[in-house]
Structure formats: structure tokens, C-alpha cells
């Protein structure tokens, strides 16, 4: 398992010096206590462990300082009588030289090993960071002892606290979704039988009820006789990828459905427009205008991956083709409402027909005409909500009820009544057209808006 390494103590730091002094002091105390047993021989017998400990804990500087202190303390206490440094003797100098050479060799070896351990710790830290960043963890299963070991990154992959890590195959299998458990255990059994590297995916069910998709790649290690000893592997959390695949599949299915509906809508627009157009030029103009209106709503839905569109944005997109930027003449107000794709498309076509009529014959055909569009969400009965849109024109030419129903009126009726289950009430008042559109809303989106 991965472990965090300890950063080295600076060689010239007070801590390194303290470590050296402490180790030598303890070694000196032990040597004095054992003087009656050891005698005057081997004066440096307890100093070698002190130098080694100082090097391991404090580093090269601490080890070198421990050597110097060991020589000084040993000469002072054991070579010169009367607790003084006294004169140098050949045996004493020889002992010091041998101790110095041996201690230096020990310090160099210990320093090299310490640096190797530090580099290993740094590599482990980098490996753990890489595993965490990629949502990957590694594991090892001792087949003979049935012991499972996880690294810390595996804990994050499965979202488990350290104390709940599985200790054997049975506990690990309990984390696998019941529907995938037989498949996963079967793959492992096949790997144990033929020794090949296996790759498989399964769902993990966490104690809190959450499900995660896991990709596992593992292989079996055998001894020289072919007996499986242990299995090692790596697990990757692919929940995000799986959800993206499901979303992509749903979007493709939805796109196919929308394309079919759009083609049917375009075909119907073409047929109905050509029937109501007196000449090819009128057909071209009317048909292109309706295609542009349909395209404007499609653009809004594409921005949200065909999930919803704001009613205000749908109105702005359709009115933009009819001078909708003139806020002195056109007023749009209402609370935030999100429309489902079919609602947005149907209302967009209805708004286009109303705006086209207002531009040609209604309030927008006159410089003094005004258009007010307001909407609200009503609750006529418990649990049901309705969107009510009021379209009101004023200041335009006098309005009279048409003698026959045109294609625009039929399109509005089909879009609102037949496709959305709503209603349309048009009042051809002399002061201007007043049209009320009502349609049901399904549920709240959770942020104060309705769909």
C-alpha cells in the first residue's frame, strides 16, 4: 500500500544538530552504565548505533556531527584519565581512526539508503496523485491466504472509508451489484484457470445505495510450478463515461425523433403554404419565413441540448424578424418559464404567424401601433398549472374578423390545440387583435420556473 514519506531534515538545521546531540548523549550514557561490564575495551561500541540513528533520522549533516561528537566524548570520558583530554596515545588514535572510517562508511551507506527511500516516497506520492486524478486504484489479492489489499486510491474509487475496505474476496464481492456479481466472479474464475489478463466492467453498489460503474483489468501471478499465488489489478471509475454514453444514446434517439418530426413539419408547411399562396414568389417568401421561424427555435433548443428553452427567448427569437428590438412599440413581460422542446417549437410557430399578421395587417404595420405580450402561470385546480399568454395589439388599422380561416390561423390552432392540448381564444376587437393562448404545464423545474 502507498504511504506518505517524511521530508528530510535540513543538514544545518537546529533539529539536525539536536538529533545528533541527543543520540550521542544517549549512547554515552549507555556506555558509562555498561563500563563495569565492558571494561575499557571497545570504547566506541555504543557510538556506532548513535551515528546510524542520527543519520537515519537527521540526514548526512546530523550523521557527520554525531561522528565528531562521538570522538570528542569518547576521548574525554574513556581515553584520558581524570576526565580530561590528556595526551594522545597510539592505541587511542588507532581506535579513533578505525571508528571514523567505519562511521563514515556507515553514514554514507545510510544516507544513500535514506535518499533512496525519499525518492521512493516521492514516486509513491506522484503515483497516488496520478491515480487520484484518473479515478484509478490498484489492488492485490493473496490467493493462498485470501487476503485483499487496496491502495488509498481504491478507497476513493469505491467511495468507502478506510475502515470499510474489504479484507477478502467475499467482502469485495459484496460490493458488486447483484446483477453483475455472477459475471464478475466468472471472469475471475476463468482468469485463475487459464492465467490470462482479463478486462471487465461491473457496477459497484455502495453502502449508501449509490451505484458506480467500474472497469477492472487484472492478471494472475504464478510460481515456477504454475500454482496461482496472487492476483493484481487496477480499477477505474467509469461512471462519468457510462452516463455520457447513456446520455449520448438518449440524445441520438431524441434527435432521430426530432428529425422525423421536423421533416414532417416542413413537409406540412410546404404543402399548406403552396395551397394558400397565389403565385410562386409568394410561396417562396412565406415558406422561407416559416422555415426561418422554425430554425430560430431549433437554435435555442440546440444550445440546451434539446432539454428546454425559455419562453422569453423564444418570443425574442421570433419577434426579432419583425422589428422585435423596438422596445418602444413591443413590450414583453412575464415570469421565468421553461418550455419543453415540443412546446417551444409549437409556440414558436404560433408567435411567428401572429407576428407576421401584425406586421402585414395589424399593429406593427402602423408607426403608432404597439404590441404587448404578457404571460402568467395560473393554478386553476390542485396539482395542475396552466400557462396563459395574452397577445394584445393596439394603435393599428381597424380590425375585422376574417371571412375565412387562413393557413396561419389553422397552423396556430394545430400547434396549440392539437399538439399541446391547449386552447386559443382570438378577439378581433376594432382597436386591435387580442389573442389568449393557454396550455398545461407539467411540473416545476426546481428553480422557480415551470415547464
Amino acid at each position: 500500500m502507498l504511504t506518505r514519506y517524511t521530508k528530510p531534515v535540513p543538514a544545518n538545521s537546529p533539529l539536525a544538530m539536536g538529533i545528533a546531540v541527543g543520540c550521542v548523549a544517549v549512547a554515552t550514557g549507555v556506555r558509562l552504565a555498561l563500563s563495569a561490564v565492558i571494561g575499557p575495551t571497545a570504547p566506541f561500541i555504543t557510538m556506532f548505533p548513535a551515528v546510524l540513528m542520527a543519520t537515519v533520522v537527521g540526514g548526512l549533516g546530523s550523521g557527520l556531527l554525531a561522528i565528531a561528537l562521538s570522538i570528542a566524548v569518547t576521548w574525554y570520558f574513556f581515553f584520558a584519565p581524570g576526565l580530561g583530554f590528556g595526551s594522545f596515545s597510539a592505541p587511542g588514535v588507532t581506535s579513533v581512526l578505525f571508528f571514523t572510517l567505519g562511521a563514515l562508511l556507515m553514514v554514507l551507506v545510510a544516507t544513500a539508503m535514506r535518499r533512496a527511500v525519499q525518492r521512493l516516497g516521492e514516486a509513491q506520492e506522484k503515483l497516488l496523485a496520478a491515480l487520484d486524478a484518473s479515478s484509478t486504484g490498484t489492488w492485490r489479492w493473496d490467493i493462498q491466504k485470501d487476503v485483499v489489499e487496496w491502495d488509498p486510491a481504491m478507497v476513493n474509487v469505491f467511495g468507502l472509508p478506510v475502515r470499510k475496505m474489504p479484507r477478502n474476496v467475499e467482502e469485495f464481492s459484496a460490493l458488486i451489484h447483484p446483477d453483475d456479481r455472477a459475471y464478475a466472479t466468472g471472469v475471475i474464475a476463468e482468469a485463475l484457470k487459464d492465467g490470462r489478463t482479463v478486462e471487465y466492467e461491473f457496477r459497484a453498489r455502495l453502502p449508501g445505495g449509490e451505484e458506480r460503474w467500474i472497469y477492472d483489468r487484472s492478471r494472475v501471478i504464478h510460481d515456477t510450478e504454475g500454482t496461482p499465488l496472487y492476483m493484481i489489478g487496477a480499477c477505474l471509475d467509469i461512471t462519468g463515461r457510462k452516463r455520457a454514453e447513456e446520455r449520448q444514446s438518449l440524445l441520438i434517439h431524441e434527435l432521430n425523433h426530432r428529425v422525423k418530426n421536423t421533416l414532417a413539419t416542413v413537409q406540412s408547411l410546404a404543402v399548406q403554404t403552396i395551397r394558400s399562396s397565389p403565385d410562386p414568389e409568394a410561396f417562396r417568401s412565406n415558406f422561407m419565413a416559416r422555415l426561418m421561424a422554425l430554425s430560430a427555435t431549433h437554435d435555442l433548443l440546440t444550445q440546451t441540448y434539446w432539454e428546454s428553452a425559455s419562453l422569453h427567448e423564444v418570443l425574442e427569437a421570433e419577434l426579432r424578424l419583425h422589428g422585435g428590438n423596438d422596445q418602444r412599440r413591443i413590450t414583453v413581460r412575464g415570469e421565468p418559464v421553461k418550455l419543453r422542446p415540443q412546446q417551444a417549437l409549437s409556440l414558436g410557430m404560433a408567435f411567428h404567424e401572429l407576428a407576421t399578421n401584425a406586421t402585414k395587417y395589424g399593429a406593427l404595420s402602423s408607426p403608432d401601433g404597439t404590441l404587448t405580450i404578457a404571460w402568467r402561470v395560473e393554478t386553476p385546480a390542485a396539482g395542475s398549472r396552466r400557462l396563459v399568454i395574452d397577445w394584445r395589439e393596439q394603435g393599428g388599422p381597424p380590425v375585422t374578423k376574417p371571412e375565412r380561416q387562413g393557413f396561419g390561423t389553422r397552423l396556430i390552432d394545430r400547434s396549440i390545440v392539437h399538439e399541446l392540448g391547449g386552447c386559443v381564444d382570438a378577439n378581433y376587437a376594432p382597436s386591435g387583435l387580442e389573442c389568449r393562448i393557454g396550455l398545461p404545464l407539467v411540473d416545476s423545474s426546481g428553480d422557480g420556473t415551470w415547464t
Side-chain angles (χ1 to χ4, degrees), residues 127-164:
L127 175 60
L128 182 58
L131 292 174
D132 284 337
S134 60
S135 298
T136 306
T138 61
W139 56 271
R140 181 180 183 274
W141 172 36
D142 188 324
I143 300 174
Q144 304 299 325
K145 299 179 180 179
D146 191 21
V147 175
V148 175
E149 297 176 355
W150 278 12
D151 65 36
M154 276 286 284
V155 176
N156 297 332
V157 170
F158 281 82
L160 294 173
V162 176
R163 63 180 181 277
K164 291 188 177 181

Side-chain angles (χ1 to χ4, degrees), residues 187-362:
V187 170
I188 294 176
E190 289 294 326
L192 292 175
K193 184 183 300 183
D194 54 31
R196 61 185 177 88
T197 299
V198 293
E199 302 178 20
Y200 56 99
E201 298 176 359
F202 61 89
R203 288 168 294 173
R205 174 171 289 181
L206 307 187
E210 178 189 358
E211 289 186 4
R212 292 187 182 182
W213 274 98
I214 307 296
Y215 164 81
D216 184 274
R217 178 183 174 89
S218 54
R219 63 190 181 94
V220 181
I221 306 299
H222 300 82
D223 61 12
T224 55
E225 298 179 357
T227 303
L229 298 178
Y230 55 90
M231 176 178 280
I232 58 174
C235 289
L236 173 65
D237 184 355
I238 59 171
T239 306
R241 191 191 78 186
K242 282 292 185 178
R243 290 175 179 172
E245 291 175 355
E246 293 174 359
R247 180 182 178 84
Q248 184 180 32
S249 177
L250 179 63
L251 287 176
I252 292 175
H253 177 75
E254 183 70 14
L255 178 62
N256 291 333
H257 177 69
R258 296 300 175 190
V259 168
K260 291 179 181 179
N261 286 350
T262 301
L263 291 176
T265 300
V266 172
Q267 182 182 23
S268 177
L269 287 176
V271 173
Q272 296 298 329
T273 303
I274 200 171
R275 287 179 181 176
S276 59
S277 301
D279 53 66
E281 181 59 28
F283 165 74
R284 187 193 68 81
S285 177
N286 294 335
F287 183 61
M288 290 302 297
R290 285 167 178 148
L291 279 184
M292 291 297 294
L294 186 63
S295 175
T297 308
H298 271 252
D299 288 342
L300 290 176
L301 290 170
T302 302
Q303 296 174 11
T304 60
Y305 302 98
W306 279 79
E307 291 182 352
S308 65
S310 166
L311 173 57
H312 193 277
E313 292 178 346
V314 172
L315 268 169
E316 282 188 339
E318 300 300 340
L319 293 175
R320 192 176 298 118
L321 304 176
H322 305 277
N325 295 326
D326 188 355
Q327 298 181 357
R328 296 172 300 174
R329 303 180 61 198
I330 301 178
T331 302
V332 178
R333 61 175 181 267
E335 59 186 287
V337 173
K338 289 183 180 179
L339 303 172
R340 289 174 293 155
Q342 188 57 49
Q343 291 174 328
L345 291 171
S346 298
L347 281 174
M349 294 305 300
F351 293 148
H352 169 73
E353 296 301 325
L354 288 170
T356 300
N357 184 76
T359 302
K360 291 182 177 181
Y361 314 109

